[in-house]
Amino acid sequence: MRTELRFIDPCAPHAYARDADLRGLGGTEATLLRIAVALAGNGAVTVEQAARHSPAMRGEIAFLPMDLTRQAGSTIIVINSWKVALICARRNPGARIWVWQHVFPGRHNRVLAPDMAAAGIGIICVSESHAAMVRALLGGQVEVLAIPNPIADDLHPDATPRDPDLLFFASSPHKGLDQVLAAFATLRETLPGLRLELADPGYLVCDSGVMPPGVVVLGTLSRAEVIARMRRALCLFYPQWRFEETFGLVIAEANAVGCPALVHRGLGANDEVTWDASQRIDATSPHQIAARIAAWRSAPPLVSLWPRFRFSAVLAQWVALLAPGASASPFASAPARPAPARHLSEASA
């Protein structure tokens, strides 16, 4: 399919090559690693990282220190950095270059758009809502497509009983934790038995202040530990309205194991990722938060994941994109989303 696929990560704070290295990192690095490993059977794959000081191998994948003077790769995928992508374009004039955009670009990036377009650099966003925002920012100057972050094919609900008194938050504190804590404190005035467990991926140091009663700080957990708590919790408790998720990997993973996510309607990718609309509320309203939690305590909803987010479906998009002569047009917009199956697990739907 290709002579070499080259990923360049100028952003991660430390090097990673295996799942064990992802502790303290976020969904960006985990997703890159999963996609790179899956694509390794289709041709040579290298992953360059600015934080890496010595080479390492994982199967057929070479993990290397970032070297922008290196001329290699028929396809080069740069994480978030438009400037690095432009450097790669100058040094690799025959390569197809993409910026794999996991964050919302700042408005200052617009000045680079004409150079990006002239160099033929495209942008891969991680959700349709993310892509729409980037297209609006750039006014159609640069090719923008959406390939969602992947959720494991084998991640499904199991028989773990849900604790009606347990809420779970599993994001970095800068993602609206102060609003989540305030909502929990208000909610606990009428439901004093509630507990809120906090897990922090640990990639940013934040002072979250004094915790209200009922909050249990868990620190940084492994992915398996996070999934286990999602299976047990009443819901992923995320009623904040400030931070816009470009995808919301933790929300999608919660839904994949049948855990509902309480999110703010219309914020970032929330509406796209939460298949069941009952998960979306006006998070500025304590009344709506209390009403939804009370309803879920009486009858936990049956939620599932949109199959388009499954790893096999996402990988198929990557394979199609990287095929010789491929056009981005098949992925410029998402397929229509069918109504979620009610009262059925995703596995049997």
Side-chain angles (χ1 to χ4, degrees):
M1 291 176 57
R2 59 187 183 278
T3 55
E4 184 180 5
L5 173 60
R6 181 182 175 194
F7 292 94
I8 300 178
D9 185 353
C11 308
H14 69 253
Y16 54 94
R18 290 168 174 77
D19 291 351
D21 303 329
L22 295 172
R23 196 173 184 89
L25 299 178
T28 298
E29 295 81 14
T31 297
L32 188 158
L33 194 57
R34 292 168 193 162
I35 293 297
V37 169
L39 291 172
N42 296 322
V45 175
T46 60
V47 179
E48 295 184 26
Q49 299 162 346
R52 178 171 291 281
H53 302 296
S54 59
M57 294 294 297
R58 175 176 174 177
E60 300 177 353
I61 305 175
F63 291 83
L64 306 172
M66 187 174 76
D67 180 4
L68 300 185
T69 67
R70 181 171 174 256
Q71 292 181 303
S74 57
T75 301
I76 301 174
I77 299 174
V78 179
I79 304 300
N80 291 334
S81 177
W82 298 18
K83 291 182 178 179
V84 169
L86 286 166
I87 293 171
C88 290
R90 290 195 294 270
R91 294 189 176 276
N92 301 269
R96 183 67 171 105
I97 298 176
W98 296 92
V99 173
W100 193 0
Q101 191 75 37
H102 289 260
V103 298
F104 290 109
R107 295 191 177 277
H108 63 279
N109 288 66
R110 285 186 296 190
V111 301
L112 299 177
D115 291 338
M116 294 265 288
I121 299 171
I123 299 174
I124 302 169
C125 293
V126 296
S127 68
E128 289 299 323
S129 57
H130 185 206
M133 178 271 179
V134 174
R135 291 187 191 109
L137 175 71
L138 301 182
Q141 297 180 76
V142 178
E143 180 181 20
V144 178
L145 61 90
I147 300 180
N149 283 337
I151 306 301
D153 289 335
D154 61 355
L155 207 55
H156 290 285
D158 66 9
T160 303
R162 296 206 174 272
D163 183 342
D165 291 330
L166 178 61
L167 313 179
F168 186 48
F169 177 90
S171 296
S172 179
H174 77 282
K175 296 185 177 184
L177 178 59
D178 58 336
Q179 294 178 340
V180 170
L181 292 174
F184 175 72
T186 300
L187 184 61
R188 204 168 185 267
E189 291 175 1
T190 54
L191 294 169
L194 289 181
R195 309 183 319 279
L196 173 62
E197 292 187 342
L198 304 181
D200 179 356
Y203 55 79
L204 284 179
V205 177
C206 302
D207 181 6
S208 302
V210 178
M211 295 294 165
V215 174
V216 181
V217 179
L218 302 173
T220 302
L221 304 179
S222 68
R223 180 173 176 274
E225 291 170 329
V226 169
I227 296 300
R229 279 175 163 77
M230 287 176 175
R231 294 189 185 282
R232 189 162 56 89
L234 174 70
C235 71
L236 186 74
F237 191 66
Y238 201 20
Q240 60 84 29
W241 60 93
R242 181 189 306 123
F243 185 87
E244 294 183 280
E245 294 279 9
T246 55
F247 179 76
L249 194 64
V250 68
I251 298 170
E253 287 187 331
N255 276 195
V257 298
C259 178
L262 191 69
V263 300
H264 185 61
R265 183 187 305 115
L267 181 69
N270 285 355
D271 291 6
E272 183 177 343
V273 174
T274 52
W275 194 350
D276 189 317
S278 72
Q279 299 172 91
R280 306 190 289 267
I281 61 166
D282 176 2
T284 66
S285 168
H287 173 73
Q288 287 195 27
I289 295 172
R292 196 57 46 87
I293 292 297
W296 287 353
R297 281 163 58 85
S298 298
L302 296 172
V303 301
S304 59
L305 181 74
W306 190 12
R308 181 176 182 256
F309 299 150
R310 287 294 181 190
F311 188 89
S312 53
V314 173
L315 181 60
Q317 288 187 271
W318 277 101
V319 170
L321 177 69
L322 298 173
S327 167
S329 58
F331 314 117
S333 61
R337 178 165 55 178
R342 304 298 298 158
H343 310 299
L344 291 172
S345 71
E346 185 182 32
S348 61

